[in-house]
Amino acid sequence: MDLNTHDEQLLKKLASAIIENPRATTKELAEMVGISKATLHRFCGTRENLVQMITTESEKALHKIIAVANAKVDDYETALNELIKVHFDNEEYLVFTCGVQSSLENKFWGDYSKSLDHFFLNGQKHGAFRIELSVPLLSELFIASICGVFDSQQRGRIASFGMQE
């Protein structure tokens, strides 16, 4: 299912709402994102369908990140910025994956980690990243930094505006 921009924004808001309140009813979820329960029902039908829609988009987001990390790179500074951007563009899905859908996280965690390892190893080979730091350490530092920023935003410690730049 390809979503238009409005539906994509709504789905991301709903993913965030589920993370914020995992036991919320569909009525409560609708209120949290500023729509009626009827609109939510027309959008996804059931809560199970909503979770499946978010899971599907989360899977697509992880595939995008893996593709960016595995792409052939000429300029590692630009590539690192693109890798950061694709994480921030899919923040809601990543937080949902880590926070609610542990089975999806487990399904892709290995491929995700391998793709980051691939990115940083090739970057080291091209002199873009320090070789004194192991590839797994670089990958884990990157993941921890991204997750830390997402968590800080959720807690209101830092603003999300312009974070990708």
Side-chain angles (χ1 to χ4, degrees), residues 31-51:
E31 289 171 357
M32 289 173 77
V33 299
I35 61 174
S36 70
K37 184 179 175 185
T39 300
L40 180 58
H41 182 72
R42 281 190 298 276
F43 180 70
C44 62
T46 65
R47 183 185 173 95
E48 292 76 28
N49 281 348
L50 173 60
V51 170

Side-chain angles (χ1 to χ4, degrees), residues 1-17 33 35 40 43-44 50 52-62 64-65 85-94 96 164:
M1 173 175 152
D2 286 327
L3 299 172
N4 63 41
T5 303
H6 177 266
D7 288 350
E8 174 79 12
Q9 301 254 336
L10 178 57
L11 196 59
K12 285 182 174 183
K13 287 180 185 177
L14 288 163
S16 293
V33 299
I35 61 174
L40 180 58
F43 180 70
C44 62
L50 173 60
Q52 183 55 51
M53 289 170 69
I54 296 169
T55 300
T56 299
E57 292 304 310
S58 297
E59 187 174 325
K60 289 179 186 177
L62 286 166
K64 287 178 198 173
I65 292 168
K85 181 180 182 328
V86 74
H87 277 80
F88 278 92
D89 288 348
N90 294 287
E91 174 182 353
E92 297 85 356
Y93 298 135
L94 293 172
F96 177 83
Q164 302 168 21

Side-chain angles (χ1 to χ4, degrees), residues 62-71 73 76 79-87 94 108-124 129 133-147:
L62 286 166
H63 280 296
K64 287 178 198 173
I65 292 168
I66 290 168
V68 169
N70 286 331
V73 175
Y76 276 89
L80 183 60
N81 286 329
E82 179 60 28
L83 191 58
I84 293 167
K85 181 180 182 328
V86 74
H87 277 80
L94 293 172
F108 286 96
W109 192 250
D111 290 341
Y112 174 79
S113 294
K114 285 178 189 173
S115 69
L116 290 178
D117 288 350
H118 170 82
F119 177 81
F120 287 111
L121 177 62
N122 285 336
Q124 284 181 330
F129 303 114
L133 303 175
S134 72
V135 168
L137 178 60
L138 288 172
S139 295
E140 293 300 321
L141 285 171
F142 179 82
I143 294 166
S145 297
I146 294 290
C147 293

